[in-house]
Amino acid sequence: MSSETPNGSVAASAEASSEVPQGAGPEKKQRRTTAPEGNTSSATGNGSKDSSVKPPDPGNEKPSGAELKKRAKAEKAAKRAQAKQEQQIAPQNVSKGTTPETDKIQYGKGPVTQPSQSSSSKVQHKRAGSSSANAQKPLQLRPSHQQIPTSPLESKKEVKKVALFSHLYGHPRRTTILGAGKDVHPSVLALGLQMSNYVICGSNARCVSTLLVFKRVISAYSTPPGTSLPRHLTIHLSAQIDYLVSCRPLAISLGNAIRWLKLVISHIDPDTPESKAKSELCSAIDNFIRERLTVAGQAIAASASSKIQDGDVILTFAKSSIVERTLVEAYRQGKRFRVIVIDSAPLFEGQNLARALADLGLQVQYAPTHTLSHVVQDATRVFLGAHAMMSNGRLYSRIGTAMVAMMAKHSDIPVIVLCESIKFTDKAALDSIAINEIAPAEELGTSSAPATKEERPGQWRDAPNFQPLNLMYDVTPEEYIHMVITEYGSLPPSSVPVVHRLSTYT
């Protein structure tokens, strides 16, 4: 009537557990049922094992796998119900000032059922390695993300970013050399900080300075063993470019110059001696600066100065090196005219242009942008510089340029753009949202006047519901532009892509 299981334990059926030997009184039956676990048989008088075995204790019976799975499933469902109930109560607790830390939810309270001692000791043995079921600590439910309390400072902190321009927010502009790569040349480190602090400002100045610094990098470069100069030098220059981008995004003209330089490096014969290859690269950089920037600027200044007549009033915005060269060239030709410089915050670049022209002897009027509607009536021509000319004929320049061109067009004043072909790009821009540069918001608070106690740096930026936006450029539609003067001559804005292909592949 008894069977032996694979693990060696003896299990009795229901019929065997009901049988009791004859002559056994109630005391003997009680002793057998309360015998300690492990004594599976009793010795008879002749030393043989007793065939009658005590039934297993229901309290110490090992549950089957199906029962454990069913029990765990019920406990999990109870936990989910408890957590859902706590999430519904959480908003009420927060309004009353209570938090999940003060209301600790222990395992076994509410609808959650307490597991048996044998199963709990087994689970604890697997997870915590404890040998005693009584040492088990009460479990605590993990609070949901809605129950996590937040400090008052975190709840008041808001994101100071305009959602419409969220794609333009990248890493903060680098202002120190901390964290720069070991392969970055010291000249590149200094150049990046000068660009970041606007010591070197303007697309032409940034392009020329970067190319001259790359000459130093190439001169100090040595090809590692096992590789060639055309392959490894491009990788070495990429580390320098990445550092410059972290300081400030590259100008359109600088991007075109870098692509040209990498193309020249890729055409170098790997069998060329290193000293000769580096000398040829430095000479090519000098020729590029002379032809695409210096000579091109001279040609544009000569062509644009012929548009100026005696008694003209030339209006310009901010500061452009090519516009300044044109005005100086016209003044040296003996022409007498007046200049109106419109300027705006935060850089106030027009102050440097007005000072330079006044020192030269020209009659200069300096005016902020809010006076544009009044001073534009005295102008006869408008000369504007360019950061880039888009392939759809639109002008991409310092922010405020579009407003000046629009006011001039409204007053029937011709708008002339002076731009080198190196600033032409095959990109198209319909507005100032997709392509632009966001400067640090701290620059909007710069002022020459001493700050009061209420205007100390940092306080105005932390004001609630205040999101500063410091865009660098805007886009001027082509219908506001009368003419574009390049080193290839005067042309309408619609001819920009033609000149771009001509200057790129020749």
Side-chain angles (χ1 to χ4, degrees):
M1 299 298 292
S2 62
S3 61
E4 186 172 349
T5 59
N7 57 1
S9 62
V10 179
S13 63
E15 297 176 359
S17 60
S18 61
E19 293 181 357
V20 182
Q22 296 180 359
E27 293 83 359
K28 187 174 182 180
K29 182 177 181 180
Q30 184 69 20
R31 283 197 306 272
R32 290 190 178 183
T33 56
T34 58
E37 185 179 358
N39 296 336
T40 59
S41 62
S42 60
T44 59
N46 54 4
S48 61
K49 294 182 180 180
D50 191 359
S51 60
S52 61
V53 183
K54 77 172 186 65
D57 189 1
N60 296 330
E61 181 181 359
K62 182 179 178 181
S64 63
E67 293 177 353
L68 289 176
K69 186 180 296 186
K70 185 176 180 181
R71 188 180 301 168
K73 193 173 182 179
E75 293 172 358
K76 187 180 295 185
K79 287 181 181 180
R80 289 199 193 101
Q82 184 73 9
K84 186 175 181 180
Q85 182 180 3
E86 291 297 330
Q87 290 180 5
Q88 296 176 356
I89 301 177
Q92 301 177 2
N93 293 340
V94 172
S95 61
K96 295 178 182 179
T98 60
T99 59
E101 280 83 359
T102 58
D103 274 342
K104 292 187 177 180
I105 307 169
Q106 293 184 354
Y107 188 90
K109 291 186 178 181
V112 184
T113 59
Q114 183 73 19
S116 62
Q117 181 178 358
S118 59
S119 61
S120 62
S121 61
K122 178 181 178 181
V123 173
Q124 186 179 8
H125 175 73
K126 287 184 178 180
R127 295 185 179 179
S130 175
S131 60
S132 174
N134 297 329
Q136 182 180 4
K137 297 181 179 180
L139 299 179
Q140 183 175 354
L141 292 180
R142 180 182 297 175
S144 62
H145 64 280
Q146 297 178 356
Q147 295 176 309
I148 299 177
T150 57
S151 62
L153 295 178
E154 293 180 354
S155 60
K156 292 182 180 180
K157 186 178 180 181
E158 60 178 310
V159 180
K160 298 295 184 180
K161 293 182 180 180
V162 181
L164 184 62
F165 299 91
S166 59
H167 60 284
L168 299 177
Y169 290 95
H171 296 286
R173 184 179 294 183
R174 181 189 293 271
T175 56
T176 63
I177 62 174
L178 296 177
K182 62 179 181 180
D183 296 332
V184 181
H185 195 272
S187 300
V188 179
L189 295 175
L191 176 63
L193 296 182
Q194 290 174 346
M195 289 183 179
S196 178
N197 297 323
Y198 304 108
V199 176
I200 298 178
C201 191
S203 58
N204 282 353
R206 291 160 62 186
C207 182
V208 173
S209 301
T210 303
L211 291 177
L212 293 178
V213 167
F214 281 174
K215 283 182 59 178
R216 298 183 183 180
V217 175
I218 294 173
S219 299
Y221 170 79
S222 60
T223 307
T227 184
S228 61
L229 184 141
R231 177 173 299 180
H232 186 266
L233 180 57
T234 305
I235 301 175
H236 183 65
L237 288 179
S238 297
Q240 325 297 321
I241 297 170
D242 292 340
Y243 172 80
L244 294 179
V245 171
S246 66
C247 295
R248 189 179 175 186
L250 298 180
I252 298 296
S253 58
L254 182 55
N256 293 334
I258 290 175
R259 281 190 290 272
W260 165 84
L261 181 59
K262 289 184 176 181
L263 182 63
V264 173
I265 294 175
S266 64
H267 289 167
I268 296 178
D269 189 359
D271 297 332
T272 305
E274 181 176 334
S275 58
K276 183 180 179 180
K278 293 194 297 184
S279 177
E280 291 177 354
L281 286 175
C282 293
S283 300
I285 291 176
D286 291 335
N287 293 334
F288 183 88
I289 295 175
R290 181 174 59 254
E291 295 175 1
R292 300 298 301 273
L293 294 168
T294 306
V295 176
Q298 294 174 356
I300 294 173
S303 177
S305 61
S306 63
K307 309 294 182 183
I308 301 176
Q309 305 297 329
D310 290 335
D312 280 345
V313 179
I314 308 300
L315 186 144
T316 186
F317 177 72
K319 181 181 183 299
S320 172
S321 59
I322 190 64
V323 172
E324 180 180 1
R325 184 180 298 183
T326 300
L327 298 177
V328 172
E329 179 69 20
Y331 179 76
R332 289 176 178 174
Q333 293 176 3
K335 300 177 180 179
R336 295 297 174 259
F337 55 93
R338 187 162 60 92
V339 179
I340 300 177
V341 179
I342 304 297
D343 203 6
S344 66
L347 297 182
F348 294 104
E349 298 175 279
Q351 295 180 357
N352 297 329
L353 176 62
R355 186 181 300 109
L357 296 178
D359 294 342
L360 189 61
L362 275 76
Q363 186 179 357
V364 181
Q365 178 182 353
Y366 179 84
T369 52
H370 58 266
T371 62
L372 177 61
S373 60
H374 174 71
V375 299
V376 74
Q377 300 176 4
D378 300 331
T380 58
R381 285 177 177 81
V382 176
F383 282 3
L384 297 176
H387 181 83
M389 286 297 300
M390 299 297 177
S391 62
N392 56 350
R394 302 203 169 193
L395 171 62
Y396 182 71
S397 188
R398 182 75 69 214
I399 189 168
T401 305
M403 179 177 60
V404 174
M406 180 185 64
M407 293 297 296
K409 180 68 175 180
H410 180 73
S411 302
D412 294 330
I413 301 174
V415 177
I416 302 175
V417 177
L418 313 181
C419 181
E420 300 89 340
S421 61
I422 193 177
K423 297 180 181 179
F424 290 5
T425 177
D426 55 358
K427 298 179 181 179
L430 301 177
D431 49 39
S432 307
I433 301 176
I435 303 175
N436 215 317
E437 176 184 350
I438 294 184
E442 292 79 2
E443 298 175 1
L444 295 174
T446 57
S447 175
S448 57
T452 61
K453 184 177 180 181
E454 292 79 8
E455 297 177 351
R456 288 178 180 175
Q459 293 185 357
W460 61 274
R461 286 183 285 106
D462 297 334
N465 303 323
F466 179 73
Q467 295 176 339
L469 179 64
N470 188 12
L471 293 178
M472 294 291 294
Y473 304 102
D474 62 12
V475 175
T476 304
E478 59 177 331
E479 55 265 22
Y480 296 159
I481 302 173
H482 180 73
M483 181 188 303
V484 179
I485 300 179
T486 69
E487 66 268 29
Y488 293 95
S490 302
L491 49 95
S494 58
S495 301
V496 168
V498 179
V499 176
H500 176 61
R501 289 193 298 268
L502 181 65
S503 61
T504 303
Y505 300 105
T506 57

